[in-house]
Amino acid sequence: MIQRKQSLFLLGAVVSLVALFFFPLARFIGDIDSLELYVYKLDSLVPDNVPAFPSILILILAFFVVLMLLIALVSIFMYKNRKMQMFLVKSGIVINLALIASFFFYYVNELEMAAGALASYEVGTYLLLIPFAFFILALRGIVSDEKLIRSADRLR
């Protein structure tokens, strides 16, 4: 039954995770440098200026977004194995929380120091929070399906 409501929630998570690649997460306009952070790159808005931030750290950010995207896609098609689907969705929640925490507590702080300015949060920041809500709603749907199946098994 791929048309369950949790499949729609997981599809919403996939759409918002894909949209993360098209919108900036934050801008840092400062005295030292002006930076724009995407999930997969860090751009300097000053011509001929290369940001002094390791690019491997940006790739780690992109890796976790792609990992969450794959988890959401795979868990859509795991509707016959609810326990595995529940495990995958819980893993997606944990990865999303880790990603949000690392973004706000590490990336923003480091880039604020590198640019010499406070962060101006963009659309991508809010798109980073949306999959968390979709994963929670999908988990609630899976748990309710599991309860329904168990109650039907008790009646037999």
Side-chain angles (χ1 to χ4, degrees):
M1 284 189 32
I2 201 163
Q3 68 270 19
R4 298 179 308 162
K5 62 183 175 184
Q6 54 266 30
S7 298
L8 293 176
F9 292 138
L10 290 169
L11 186 64
V14 167
V15 168
S16 61
L17 287 167
V18 168
L20 267 172
F21 286 96
F22 298 105
F23 295 103
L25 293 173
R27 285 197 177 107
F28 305 89
I29 312 281
D31 298 332
I32 301 170
D33 198 0
S34 295
L35 303 171
E36 190 171 50
L37 176 65
Y38 287 87
V39 169
Y40 59 94
K41 68 179 178 176
L42 179 66
D43 281 342
S44 178
L45 301 175
V46 178
D48 298 330
N49 192 6
V50 178
F53 193 75
S55 62
I56 189 72
L57 294 175
I58 303 300
L59 291 178
I60 291 171
L61 190 67
F63 171 75
F64 283 115
V65 170
V66 169
L67 183 63
M68 279 194 313
L69 181 66
L70 290 175
I71 286 173
L73 275 174
V74 167
S75 58
I76 288 173
F77 298 104
M78 296 293 290
Y79 56 89
K80 289 184 180 179
N81 190 352
R82 283 179 307 281
K83 293 199 186 290
M84 179 59 84
Q85 190 179 35
M86 203 178 316
F87 173 75
L88 287 173
V89 169
K90 285 179 183 178
S91 300
I93 290 170
V94 169
I95 292 170
N96 199 339
L97 281 176
L99 184 66
I100 291 169
S102 67
F103 172 71
F104 283 111
F105 294 121
Y106 178 73
Y107 287 96
V108 170
N109 288 336
E110 290 294 320
L111 291 173
E112 281 178 347
M113 286 189 291
L118 293 177
S120 168
Y121 298 110
E122 299 293 324
V123 175
T125 303
Y126 305 109
L127 287 174
L128 193 61
L129 301 172
I130 291 172
F132 178 72
F134 279 131
F135 277 131
I136 294 290
L137 290 171
L139 183 64
R140 286 179 59 195
I142 296 166
V143 167
S144 69
D145 276 0
E146 187 67 26
K147 285 180 183 177
L148 182 66
I149 296 298
R150 284 187 184 176
S151 70
D153 286 344
R154 277 195 303 260
L155 293 175
R156 282 192 226 171

